[in-house]
Amino acid sequence: LDVQSQETLLLKALGLKARLSPKTLAPVPPLLWKMFQRRSKPGPAHADAKEVQRPCWVEEFQVPGNIIRVFPDQGHFIHSREPQSLLCLQKRLYFNLSALEEDEMLTMAQLEIRFSQNWYQAASPARPFELSLYKATQMALLGMSGHTHSRQMLLEQSFVHLHKSFVFDLTQVAKEWRIPARNLGLILEIGVPPLPEGEFCSGIDSFLEASLFVVSLAPSQCKTPRKRR
Amino acid sequence: STYYVPRITSNVCKPRRLYISFSDVGWENWIIAPQGYLANYCLGECPFPLTEELNSTNHAILQTVVHSLDPEGTPQPCCVPVRLSPISILYYDNDDNVVLRHYEDMVVDECGC
């Protein structure tokens, strides 16, 4: 075998089809760094008893898995022609899950929505705001009015105090998204009921970031330890 | 790159130091961390009589006995990894997602015959 064939074999053993070539190098999410560092403590003694017994178990999320991916949001802000008097923000969230291989079992998906410190500290704690998340069930066509037939409510929460980030479990939804035709993304709305246009609505667009943490299990990479005969 | 620990001179089966650098194999463009890792490898003889330190199987012990009687016909047992540990690799995939992946059996911790 030549060097290239050997490399292909090795990459295949590592669960990769070929040498990867990313285009943009996004920053590594802090949680993923922490998880990596925890797993990279030096020496053979680092593998504590739990990890030896459960090599394909993600302690941080308490689910089976050996692959953790962070998918960046690829959705766009929705700018409605009608004045959204009660809405600070309306945004489509879209995560392309095509990187998951067919034999991988998705065991957890967690949506994280982050705000910049400037924005959430500036918001008044006395005025509750509402965060709503919908699953898009039908492509909204140009000129189509209303949203009632094109989306399904997933959750709605009111918050008196703004937080730096919000985390939501989207495991079941993400499992459906593995069929590309069913992945129409989400619609996120943030509103402030008592104020038509609160002053702390302004600028929220630039302060929002969303990502999807997905844990999956590739069974071929998770051998159960052989017992000594 | 391979290099031996200077003080170890015996040729008995044991783990030897091997650092694998991902830049040496041209993977540094997509692997974020680690830059490389201490993978080690097994090398050395499994001579007769096999001692307990050599982590021998019963089969290896018998093979050394046969080898001592018939060196031409039966080889010495092989020196192979008997305990390996995993590593995790952080990398970018082709869709620019950040991936943390766990790989088993990547580091040789112990060798045996």
Side-chain angles (χ1 to χ4, degrees):
Chain A
L1 286 176
D2 58 19
V3 173
Q4 201 173 356
S5 305
Q6 285 187 36
E7 186 189 35
T8 306
L9 281 174
L10 177 58
L11 288 167
K12 199 177 169 189
L14 295 175
L16 303 167
K17 286 174 183 162
R19 192 186 279 218
L20 300 172
S21 51
K23 291 163 207 79
T24 54
L25 307 180
V28 178
L31 176 58
L32 214 57
W33 261 122
K34 274 186 196 167
M35 293 172 76
F36 169 75
Q37 284 163 349
R38 184 177 166 271
R39 287 161 173 73
S40 305
K41 289 174 192 166
H46 78 277
D48 57 36
K50 268 186 185 174
E51 280 176 317
V52 169
Q53 285 168 11
R54 310 185 84 174
C56 289
W57 178 259
V58 181
E59 283 292 325
E60 290 84 350
F61 299 117
Q62 291 293 299
V63 291
N66 57 344
I67 309 170
I68 303 147
R69 290 186 180 87
V70 180
F71 294 91
D73 169 37
Q74 298 177 15
H76 301 287
F77 285 95
I78 300 167
H79 300 286
S80 174
R81 287 175 190 172
E82 296 169 20
Q84 297 289 318
S85 58
L86 300 179
L87 288 179
C88 277
L89 170 141
Q90 196 177 28
K91 186 184 186 304
R92 186 175 284 273
L93 303 178
Y94 180 79
F95 304 98
N96 179 4
L97 302 191
S98 62
L100 279 105
E101 297 288 336
E102 269 183 33
D103 67 333
E104 282 179 42
M105 191 168 69
L106 190 152
T107 56
M108 192 221 68
Q110 185 177 280
L111 172 70
E112 187 183 16
I113 298 168
R114 292 177 303 279
F115 300 99
S116 91
Q117 201 168 5
N118 293 342
W119 192 77
Y120 77 82
Q121 282 184 344
S124 165
R127 296 163 183 164
F129 79 104
E130 285 188 357
L131 186 150
S132 309
L133 197 62
Y134 303 88
K135 184 174 82 170
T137 54
Q138 184 186 324
M139 279 290 188
L141 300 174
L142 198 63
M144 222 171 141
S145 63
H147 312 108
T148 49
H149 299 295
S150 61
R151 62 190 197 173
Q152 175 192 337
M153 168 75 79
L154 286 178
L155 59 96
E156 193 171 40
Q157 287 191 29
S158 291
F159 300 92
V160 176
H161 294 280
L162 282 168
H163 302 268
K164 193 173 182 181
S165 67
F166 294 96
V167 170
F168 303 107
D169 179 17
L170 287 187
T171 306
Q172 290 310 315
V173 177
K175 281 180 180 173
E176 292 175 29
W177 285 347
R178 296 198 63 180
I179 300 168
R182 289 192 191 167
N183 184 2
L184 301 176
L186 303 165
I187 295 163
L188 170 72
E189 288 181 353
I190 296 176
V192 188
L195 291 174
E197 284 191 35
E199 66 269 17
F200 53 86
C201 276
S202 58
I204 186 174
D205 301 22
S206 58
F207 295 141
L208 182 93
E209 266 187 10
S211 55
L212 191 72
F213 266 75
V214 173
V215 178
S216 61
L217 180 72
S220 57
Q221 309 263 317
C222 280
K223 293 172 284 179
T224 49
R226 282 181 294 179
K227 286 181 184 171
R228 192 172 178 139
R229 288 176 293 182
Chain B
S1 62
T2 64
Y3 47 95
Y4 293 91
V5 178
R7 272 183 286 178
I8 296 171
T9 52
S10 97
N11 197 28
V12 173
C13 171
K14 64 177 70 170
R16 314 287 169 158
R17 206 177 149 85
L18 167 65
Y19 182 80
I20 291 181
S21 164
F22 290 125
S23 58
D24 285 351
V25 290
W27 292 2
E28 74 278 12
N29 292 338
W30 53 277
I31 292 186
I32 304 164
Q35 305 285 308
Y37 75 104
L38 197 59
N40 300 330
Y41 67 100
C42 294
L43 187 72
E45 290 185 9
C46 295
F48 175 81
L50 285 175
T51 56
E52 275 186 24
E53 292 78 39
L54 285 171
N55 289 316
S56 320
T57 59
N58 289 337
H59 177 270
I61 292 166
L62 285 167
Q63 190 171 331
T64 55
V65 174
V66 177
H67 170 76
S68 66
L69 299 171
D70 177 18
E72 296 291 315
T74 309
Q76 277 191 337
C78 297
C79 175
V80 292
V82 293
R83 195 162 72 88
L84 296 117
S85 55
I87 66 164
S88 288
I89 298 178
L90 197 57
Y91 64 89
Y92 293 107
D93 69 12
N94 285 337
D95 296 320
D96 301 335
N97 306 312
V98 185
V99 186
L100 175 63
R101 195 156 179 160
H102 173 92
Y103 290 109
E104 293 184 327
D105 299 345
M106 295 289 278
V107 176
V108 173
D109 293 328
E110 282 177 30
C111 301
C113 295

